[in-house]
Amino acid sequence: MKKKLKSSWKIVSIALILALAVSILCMSGSALPGFSQQSHQSWSNLPDELPDGTVNYYAVNCKKIDGSIETVYLKILKQIDSAQGTSALNVYEANTLDGLQSSEISVNFDASYNSLYGNESWTVALKPVNEFDTATYAKILSVSPLSTTIESTQVWDGTDGGNYISVSNNTAVRYSLNDGNEDIKTFYVKKEYSGGQIRLEISSDGDMWSDNSIVFDDGKVINAKLNDSTGFSPEEWIITVTGYDRLSSEGKLIDYRINKKDVSGSQAWTGGDTELRQSFNGLVVSGYDNITVNYTLKLKEASTGTETDILIFEKTINNGIVTKLSVSGLSKETGDSSIVLSTITGAESSWMSQQSFGSENRIEFSNDSLIRLDDIMGSDEGVRIHFNIGRNNGEALLTLKLTESGKLSYSFENLPADSFIPDTFSGEGTPIAVDSYKVDSYLN
């Protein structure tokens, strides 16, 4: 009886070992000759599939027919297949990495890609051999991508009354890609809403823009995916960069980082409305003692298209912390007269009021003023600045809100929608027919 039990356990043990071996072999993706490891490189959080022109490089370790081991280098280019009219992966092969610059289409290797819901994967395999050819390689042992994927998420955490706010149309951010030592690439991302579609656009120079992604420098790609705010979650810009070397010339892993340099936003406001709003506009600046971000309210004249500065508010940053907010009314000189465009009258928070500097036509908030910056950050209502159009042609309201991280939002109310009337010292000036307003922001 004991012998029969031992024999049965021996059979079961062998069966379990065989099952485990088959399982491990299947999971490895290299169980059969001629097949590569599956999905050797993949990307997620893309706005769409990787664009035509994308290039990636690989070191492929292969077992030859004679049993020896050899490393082959591949360059894979994604481009339109003219015969099929769809994108395909072209594979170029060389014995050295430098040799790929002048290589021919590979006779040994093939590549395919799969893209679904913003996730893409590329797979390398040996080409099938027909009866008239002799195979060079028996199977692929490993596939090592020589380029890396760099991902960064820009979270816009501005809120209004407890709900997260979407970043306004045309808000643009300048970013830099840093390799741990220096900035090696500067690029711009801008929010765009047009034609019933909302998306992110990318530019290398801030002038020419592409939807969702841009290809540059022989196949490197920057992708930007927008997750707009639902009110319950903040807006996110997910930036994915592909094609940069994974290792340095010394063989060390490169520590890439994407840094936000500055934010500039313009928001058009069409005549006929009475409010102009922009959600939180952030600026993260380090390494400077004194930086000022200038926000200028501009009016565009309907008849001539001339732009006139109406009001200025500023945010001052010291060592990454906002230390001052100020709002200034404006006037301009024309000939022998002075035209008053806006006059600051005062401000109020939920529990404090503050007057302007009078003759200076300006009001300032710091942690030494009556309304402190901490009061503004701690208030859901922010601070409300009252100003007159011209000198006394009706009152408008600017509301500023500030987060602890230094992001600022503004809201204008009661701007004249059709006719803006400035003042002169002798009375009302010539009315300006309003086409639209916008706010431009830039570093001072």
Side-chain angles (χ1 to χ4, degrees), residues 50-70:
L50 289 172
D52 293 325
T54 301
V55 172
N56 283 290
Y57 295 87
Y58 304 90
V60 182
N61 205 27
C62 299
K63 185 175 183 179
K64 300 181 71 173
I65 295 296
D66 63 11
S68 61
I69 306 300
E70 182 174 277

Side-chain angles (χ1 to χ4, degrees), residues 164-221:
Y164 289 102
I165 309 173
S166 294
V167 173
S168 64
N169 191 30
N170 291 324
T171 296
V173 183
R174 181 168 66 100
Y175 294 97
S176 70
L177 177 64
N178 189 285
D179 66 358
N181 296 307
E182 60 181 350
D183 292 344
I184 57 175
K185 178 67 178 177
T186 296
F187 60 95
Y188 302 79
V189 179
K190 179 177 69 173
K191 187 172 185 179
E192 178 69 22
Y193 181 80
S194 61
Q197 293 185 333
I198 185 170
R199 60 191 177 278
L200 295 179
E201 293 187 335
I202 305 177
S203 173
S204 287
D205 55 12
D207 292 325
M208 301 294 292
W209 297 88
S210 299
D211 291 349
N212 302 319
S213 60
I214 187 172
V215 182
F216 61 97
D217 291 349
D218 298 326
K220 296 180 177 66
V221 180

Side-chain angles (χ1 to χ4, degrees), residues 268-313:
W269 178 81
T270 57
D273 293 335
T274 59
E275 296 184 358
L276 172 61
R277 298 180 183 276
Q278 177 160 330
S279 60
F280 285 83
N281 187 337
L283 180 71
V284 177
V285 179
S286 59
Y288 296 93
D289 291 331
N290 194 331
I291 289 293
T292 299
V293 189
N294 179 300
Y295 301 81
T296 305
L297 172 65
K298 294 175 176 286
L299 178 149
K300 183 178 179 182
E301 295 184 33
S303 57
T304 63
T306 302
E307 291 187 0
T308 302
D309 294 351
I310 303 300
L311 187 84
I312 290 178
F313 53 101

